[in-house]
Amino acid sequence: MSEPVGIEDIKVHLHLDPDDTTDDAYLTSLLLAARRAIEIKTGQTIVADEPSLAGADLEMAKHAIRLIVGTWFSSREHIASEATAPREIPGTLTWLIEPLMKWDDGE
């Protein structure tokens, strides 16, 4: 399976010129990192032979990817000190990611 959010899609989300390829390699890297971050955080797979996220859950993950990439793209440098760095993910992403989390029921 290909990446769930492509370059064209993220450029629309970020209001970037679709014909400008200047940031394509960087955006591709951000898309991959955001997708993997969601997979690791949720314990679910998005890109795999048999992904565990599909349908509406995949749409939620795709929106989370767009938001993460948007944040990383607009804030390319580390801007918070260790003392002021957030300890939790922002509320918008929490609302998107937490329902997708795979919980260990002990079985």
Side-chain angles (χ1 to χ4, degrees):
M1 175 183 183
S2 62
E3 290 297 322
V5 178
I7 289 289
E8 297 81 16
D9 185 5
I10 200 64
K11 284 183 177 182
V12 168
H13 177 77
L14 297 173
H15 302 283
L16 298 175
D17 178 356
D19 297 323
D20 183 355
T21 60
T22 305
D23 290 313
D24 282 8
Y26 183 59
L27 288 168
T28 299
S29 175
L30 293 178
L31 287 165
L32 174 76
R35 191 252 311 153
R36 281 297 297 139
I38 290 170
E39 287 179 328
I40 291 166
K41 178 76 175 170
T42 64
Q44 303 279 7
T45 56
I46 298 169
V47 175
D49 290 337
E50 294 183 31
S52 58
L53 288 180
D57 288 345
L58 179 58
E59 290 306 311
M60 287 174 62
K62 288 167 62 173
H63 190 59
I65 289 168
R66 290 182 197 102
L67 293 175
I68 292 168
V69 170
T71 299
W72 290 347
F73 186 77
S74 66
S75 302
R76 297 181 187 207
E77 301 296 327
H78 178 72
I79 57 172
S81 69
E82 186 63 32
T84 61
R87 302 283 183 223
E88 299 290 327
I89 59 176
T92 303
L93 289 175
T94 299
W95 276 91
L96 290 168
I97 295 172
E98 279 189 358
L100 304 176
M101 292 177 77
K102 185 176 180 180
W103 300 101
D104 182 1
D105 61 6
E107 294 181 15

